[in-house]
Structures are given as C-alpha cells and as structure tokens.
Amino acid sequence: MRVKNIGIGLLFSILWSSASVATKFGVQSASPLILANVRFFIAGILLLSFSYVFVKNKAYRLPTRKEWQQLALFGFLNTTLYLGLYVYAMKYTAAGIGSLAVSTNPLMIVLLSSWWLKRKPKAEEWTGIILGMGGVAVATYPLLADSYTTIGGITLLLVSMVTVSAASVYYATVKWELPNLLINGWQVFLGGVFLLPATLLMADLSTTKLDTVFWGSVLWLSLAVSIVGLICWFYLLRIDTVKASLWLFLCPLFGFFFAWWLMGEPVTIYTIFGTVLVVAGLYAGQRTKFAGKKSD
C-alpha cells in the first residue's frame, strides 16, 4: 500500500506539472480560448458519461436546484475564470513559470480563507506567502528579458491563481452531497458553457489549426490532467490531506524539467533559487498542519 501511494503521488505531481507545457504546445495551433473550451467539453462529457452510464450507485444522480447553483458558481470560478485566464496567460508566459505559479495556490488559499473566515493569518503563513511570491518573481526575472514571458502574461497568471484559490475556498464552505466525479464533471462542463460566448466573440478561428499538436494537447489536458490527475489527487486527499499537499512540492521541479526538456526553456540560477524559495514558502505556510499531524 505504501509503494502504491508513493506511485500515485508521483503520478499526480508529474501530470499536474505537465499542464503548463501541454497548454504551451496547444496555443501554438489555436486560440487559447478554443483550446480551453474543447478541453472542458471533452473532460466534462467523459466524466459525466462514465458517472451516469457505468457507475451503478444511487448517489450518482442529477443535481438538485440548489446544487445546480453551487456547481454553476464553482464551475465559473474554477474553470471559466481560472483555467480560461490560465490558458490565455500561457501564450505569453514561460511554461516553467506557469507550473511554478500553480504551486503557490496553497499559499493564496491560506490568505483568502483567512479573509473569508475572518481569521488572522499566522506569522508562518505570511512567511510562506512572501517566500512563494518572491520565488515566482526571482524565477521570472531573466525570462522577462529574454521574451519568454511578458508582464501581461504574468498579470493574467496571478489573477488566475487568485481566482482558483477563491474557488477552492468556496468549495470548502459547501457541504457537498454529490460524489467527487460528478462535482468535477459538472463544474468542468458548466465552465465550458460559460466560456463559450467569450470564445465565439473573441477567438480568431482563422488562425486555428486542428493538427496533431492541437489534439495531442487537448487530449493530454483532458484525459491525463483533468481526469487522471484529479482522480489521483482525490485519492491522496482521502488517505491524508496533509501528506497529499506534500506532493505539490515536486510540481515546480517537474514543471521546470518538462519546460527545459520539451520547450527548450533555460534553467538558470534564478530558476533554481526561485524554485527553492517557493518550496520553502510552501513548507513554511503549511508547517502548522504538518506539526499538528505529527502530534496526533
């Protein structure tokens, strides 16, 4: 069982950190909004089809009116805004930076949940947030000069991180009665529906190339990241929430490796130092949880 859990944890870290590189490939062939919309519909339809057709369980039912409202808000925040902005940002941001920024989500969640629940953040949580943001800034600095990343791309990326953190805080406040597969399937599908008007109005269909690069990117993001990656994450959360968060520490490392290996992005002393700061920030921001778990 221990070897199995380690294997699933490694698989999650690899799949989760590969999303930025896969997105970077996809936006070379199509508008970011088109890439995002196709991904959302494929992932949503597959998850919902599996849930309703193959799972023989009464819990897998249609949402109630109140649950539709909750799923709609969660999908708008977690899919339409977060992933829509993230995919658009990756057109103007280095893949490694995209993966590094995603790893700061736990730190932003701490800050937003403190504001939402009117709880004053602890000193170590502020330390984690400062180290994490500082790490992203350090790693980004040389990429701005080399045109791998733009200020506009970084701004969109940071806004998307705030949005997904808000979605996570909202998710934690809802007493969900639907299974995780249905929640994920409906929120992804509804997120795609909400994004569709913007895609039809803003996306440049004339430059879209539905080639192997596009479909490879879409299928990887839909199947490997949105489905297999999230199944691994939910599995890890059920076993131990604190230990599950440890696997986020590996995401920046895998992310920069994939960006270097597949995209040819440079790995410099700034990259290494920035990654170390983010990992240190993640540990500092969640140190209270680790200590509490050890004392149990």
Side-chain angles (χ1 to χ4, degrees):
M1 180 64 70
R2 181 181 178 85
V3 174
K4 176 184 176 182
N5 293 345
I6 291 174
I8 291 176
L10 285 172
L11 180 61
F12 163 75
S13 299
I14 291 170
L15 293 178
W16 212 243
S17 60
S18 70
S20 57
V21 172
T23 302
K24 196 73 175 174
F25 274 112
V27 295
Q28 295 176 4
S29 298
S31 162
L33 294 178
I34 293 175
L35 177 70
N37 245 136
V38 174
R39 169 194 178 182
F40 300 159
F41 284 137
I42 289 178
I45 290 171
L46 287 176
L47 282 169
L48 293 173
S49 298
F50 176 80
S51 299
Y52 287 121
V53 176
F54 296 103
V55 179
K56 305 300 181 183
N57 190 314
K58 292 183 179 179
Y60 287 78
R61 54 174 173 77
L62 287 175
T64 63
R65 181 176 180 179
K66 182 178 180 181
E67 288 171 336
W68 279 122
Q69 295 172 347
Q70 294 168 336
L71 288 166
L73 179 55
F74 182 50
F76 181 73
L77 291 172
N78 194 67
T79 297
T80 307
L81 288 182
Y82 161 50
L83 289 176
L85 289 170
Y86 178 81
V87 171
Y88 211 92
M90 290 313 302
K91 189 174 180 67
Y92 309 100
T93 309
I97 297 300
S99 180
L100 188 64
V102 169
S103 301
T104 65
N105 282 349
L107 306 177
M108 290 192 180
I109 290 172
V110 167
L111 191 61
L112 285 176
S113 62
S114 298
W115 169 76
W116 190 295
L117 302 174
K118 294 181 171 53
R119 176 184 66 84
K120 185 178 180 181
K122 298 178 181 178
E124 56 266 30
E125 292 171 343
W126 278 117
T127 301
I129 291 166
I130 292 171
L131 286 173
M133 295 300 101
V136 172
V138 169
T140 302
Y141 174 71
L143 297 176
L144 290 172
D146 295 335
S147 299
Y148 280 94
T149 299
T150 66
I151 294 295
I154 285 293
T155 301
L156 287 174
L157 191 61
L158 291 177
V159 173
S160 74
M161 294 303 106
V162 173
T163 303
V164 72
S165 300
S168 299
V169 173
Y170 173 73
Y171 178 87
T173 63
V174 176
K175 293 183 179 180
W176 299 98
E177 296 182 2
L178 291 171
N180 286 332
L181 279 179
L182 279 184
I183 294 171
N184 193 37
W186 279 119
Q187 69 92 11
V188 171
F189 183 79
L190 291 172
V193 172
F194 297 146
L195 184 65
L196 189 57
T199 300
L200 295 175
L201 287 172
M202 299 172 58
D204 186 358
L205 298 176
S206 64
T207 60
T208 300
K209 295 180 293 182
L210 302 181
D211 51 17
T212 55
V213 173
F214 172 81
W215 287 113
S217 172
V218 165
L219 291 176
W220 183 265
L221 290 168
S222 303
L223 303 178
V225 180
S226 292
I227 295 179
V228 179
L230 280 175
I231 289 174
C232 290
W233 179 242
F234 288 139
Y235 173 85
L236 295 169
L237 287 176
R238 284 198 303 269
I239 295 174
D240 190 312
T241 304
V242 174
K243 288 183 179 179
S245 65
L246 290 171
W247 294 106
L248 292 169
F249 289 11
L250 292 180
C251 289
L253 305 180
F254 283 122
F256 275 112
F257 172 75
F258 288 139
W260 166 78
W261 180 37
L262 298 172
M263 305 295 299
E265 292 183 4
V267 175
T268 66
I269 189 64
Y270 291 94
T271 306
I272 297 171
F273 185 54
T275 302
V276 169
L277 284 177
V278 169
V279 172
L282 283 170
Y283 177 78
Q286 301 189 65
R287 188 172 57 183
T288 302
K289 290 198 299 184
F290 300 147
K293 185 66 180 178
K294 290 178 181 178
S295 63
D296 289 345

